[in-house]
Amino acid sequence: MGNRYRTWFGEQRGNRAAAAFREKGWRVWYAEDREVAKKLLFETCLPKGVTVGLGGSETLAALEVLPALRTADYHLFDRYNCADHFAMCRDSLLAEYFLTGANALTITGEMVNIDCSGSRVAAMAYGPRHIIVVAGVNKIVDTLDEAVARVHAIAPMNCKRNNHKTPCVETGLCADCNMPGRMCNHLLITYNAQKFPGRFNLILINESLGF
Ligand code: SF4
């Protein structure tokens, strides 16, 4: 069981952010923990039989979604098990559903993400018909400036996770590198989701998940 004051704080901020995202056209579910979130994902948000693309995400890993997605219930574009990663990620752009985490969410209803290849932000911007974002309340910051700062601040951890050969993996500090493994190449700010009603979906979890 987590600290009850932290739980209260996460609930306050989570509900406030949820209201802001709904105001901007998102469909939002609030989950007390990852188990509730996983149930929402598979029983409410993601219909059986659909094609599914994935963004690399520690939060999705924490929810342990892969085993279910690899069953006959879904047609998964499996970025973790493929011969041609570029082709798999490109094919994922035409999946019906795309599951992903988020690098930062603002309490006023914006989402900010940064990518190395751009495959994930491309999917979010104009790929699959349905985007499902799964995120812990630790991703919520107060302002857009803080969100942009956050995505840069966590980039060294993403480089470490993906075994990229960048200076930040040695030091934990950004050196504004200029090399193939650079994580910080494509920045996407999703200001508003009214364009295609129902396209952007958010499961907000009152836990600290990913980084
Ligand atoms: S610009 Fe390069 S050094 Fe800086 S965080 Fe991104 S990948 Fe690391």
Side-chain angles (χ1 to χ4, degrees):
M1 173 159 333
N3 179 285
R4 65 182 163 132
Y5 303 111
R6 188 172 292 283
T7 300
W8 167 80
F9 192 58
E11 192 176 323
Q12 297 302 310
R13 288 178 67 77
N15 281 320
R16 204 165 139 205
F21 276 94
R22 286 191 189 108
E23 188 69 24
K24 293 187 170 188
W26 290 65
R27 296 199 305 168
V28 184
W29 290 265
Y30 173 82
E32 297 85 51
D33 57 37
R34 70 189 74 185
E35 293 308 320
V36 174
K38 192 171 175 179
K39 206 166 148 56
L40 277 168
L41 174 63
F42 286 111
E43 295 181 11
T44 303
C45 301
L46 189 65
K48 298 272 193 302
V50 296
T51 51
V52 181
L54 283 176
S57 164
E58 284 291 295
T59 300
L60 287 174
L63 265 61
E64 298 176 342
V65 299
L66 266 181
L69 293 173
R70 283 175 171 154
T71 65
D73 286 342
Y74 300 101
H75 306 281
L76 178 65
F77 292 98
D78 196 342
R79 55 178 286 143
Y80 300 111
N81 184 20
C82 59
D84 185 340
H85 193 257
F86 185 98
M88 182 62 76
C89 290
R90 189 189 53 202
D91 291 348
S92 299
L93 298 177
L94 294 179
E96 292 166 282
Y97 283 76
F98 191 79
L99 304 187
T100 180
N103 295 136
L105 304 169
T106 69
I107 205 151
T108 48
E110 292 100 7
M111 177 172 69
V112 182
N113 288 286
I114 200 163
D115 267 15
C116 177
S117 71
S119 65
R120 184 183 60 139
V121 296
M124 289 183 189
Y126 198 78
R129 194 168 285 278
H130 304 277
I131 306 296
I132 302 176
V133 177
V134 181
V137 293
N138 55 308
K139 301 295 177 77
I140 301 171
V141 297
D142 288 347
T143 67
L144 202 48
D145 283 347
E146 284 179 56
V148 173
R150 186 180 202 284
V151 305
H152 286 289
I154 65 171
M157 286 186 275
N158 262 325
C159 286
K160 182 80 176 166
R161 173 172 73 102
N162 290 295
N163 200 26
H164 286 198
K165 308 293 182 225
T166 51
C168 58
V169 166
E170 304 301 322
T171 63
L173 300 172
C174 177
D176 194 15
C177 66
N178 181 26
M179 47 212 313
R182 180 180 162 113
M183 183 62 66
C184 316
N185 293 327
H186 304 279
L187 181 73
L188 177 71
I189 300 175
T190 305
Y191 287 104
N192 194 291
Q194 297 286 3
K195 175 65 181 171
F196 301 113
R199 181 166 185 258
F200 276 95
N201 301 272
L202 171 62
I203 300 176
L204 199 48
I205 309 165
N206 193 6
E207 280 195 61
S208 182
L209 293 164
F211 44 77

